[in-house]
Amino acid sequence: MKKMKVRQIENGTVIDHIAAGKALYIAQLLHLVESSLFVIGSNLQSSKFGKKDIIKIENYNLSDAEKHSIALISPTASFIQIQDFEVVSKERAHIPDVIEYLIVCPNHKCITNIEVMSSRFVINKNNMSVRCAYCEKKYTVDEVKFKRLI
């Protein structure tokens, strides 16, 4: 018999298969702590991944920008839309080839940190690194800071 450790939601979004330990960071990125009713399950058993995190958010739909940021943080994530306690859609995280506006370049001398302009990073999906299109510096995903999403 399957036991449910995290309660169901009536309407909203479930972010499942988050890499263990990453859910709190994602919740902060999405401003969930300040504005939404949400539940986090951390270090839950997963037959696919060993351990995983999960976030359930009441009455909230993720934007494409939010999904792209989450995909870089946890490529194994999946996004599930719930309506009237039923799954209406489910999609795996998709890592884009290029991501704009969402990452702050760690290079303080980068033009994106000096001028008022948007950042642009090229994603290397093989080793999960990013390269700034302006200063050409390369970073691992863990080395960059994501802009807080609204």
Side-chain angles (χ1 to χ4, degrees):
M1 183 166 141
K2 221 176 181 182
K3 255 192 193 177
M4 187 174 271
K5 294 185 181 184
V6 181
R7 75 170 188 85
Q8 287 183 308
I9 60 173
E10 184 175 354
N11 297 299
T13 301
V14 176
I15 308 168
D16 199 1
H17 303 108
I18 300 170
K22 299 286 186 176
L24 285 175
Y25 180 60
I26 292 170
Q28 290 173 331
L29 186 71
L30 297 173
H31 295 275
L32 296 181
V33 176
E34 298 149 11
S35 62
S36 301
L37 177 60
F38 67 98
V39 175
I40 292 179
S42 188
N43 290 312
L44 302 172
Q45 285 298 119
S46 169
S47 56
K48 273 187 181 177
F49 305 108
K51 297 279 186 187
K52 70 173 183 176
D53 288 358
I54 188 171
I55 302 174
K56 294 185 174 190
I57 315 164
E58 288 279 354
N59 302 314
Y60 191 85
N61 294 320
L62 294 171
S63 69
D64 287 341
E66 290 168 329
K67 290 177 185 177
H68 289 157
S69 292
I70 293 166
L72 284 174
I73 296 164
S74 180
T76 58
S78 60
F79 309 110
I80 304 162
Q81 230 17 76
I82 307 293
Q83 192 171 3
D84 297 322
F85 295 105
E86 299 290 329
V87 173
V88 293
S89 70
K90 188 174 189 177
E91 64 180 292
R92 291 178 177 249
H94 168 73
I95 302 168
D97 295 323
V98 174
I99 195 163
E100 297 183 82
Y101 316 111
L102 302 175
I103 299 175
V104 177
C105 186
N107 178 7
H108 298 298
K109 294 180 182 179
C110 180
I111 190 73
T112 61
N113 291 318
I114 298 168
E115 300 288 328
V116 178
M117 61 187 304
S118 299
S119 63
R120 179 180 170 90
F121 283 82
V122 178
I123 313 299
N124 182 333
K125 297 175 189 177
N126 294 329
N127 64 5
M128 289 308 296
S129 65
V130 296
R131 179 180 48 82
C132 178
Y134 297 100
C135 71
E136 299 290 322
K137 299 244 184 219
K138 294 179 184 176
Y139 303 96
T140 65
V141 171
D142 291 334
E143 290 177 309
V144 297
K145 180 179 176 186
F146 288 85
K147 291 182 182 176
R148 289 188 63 173
L149 301 168
I150 298 172

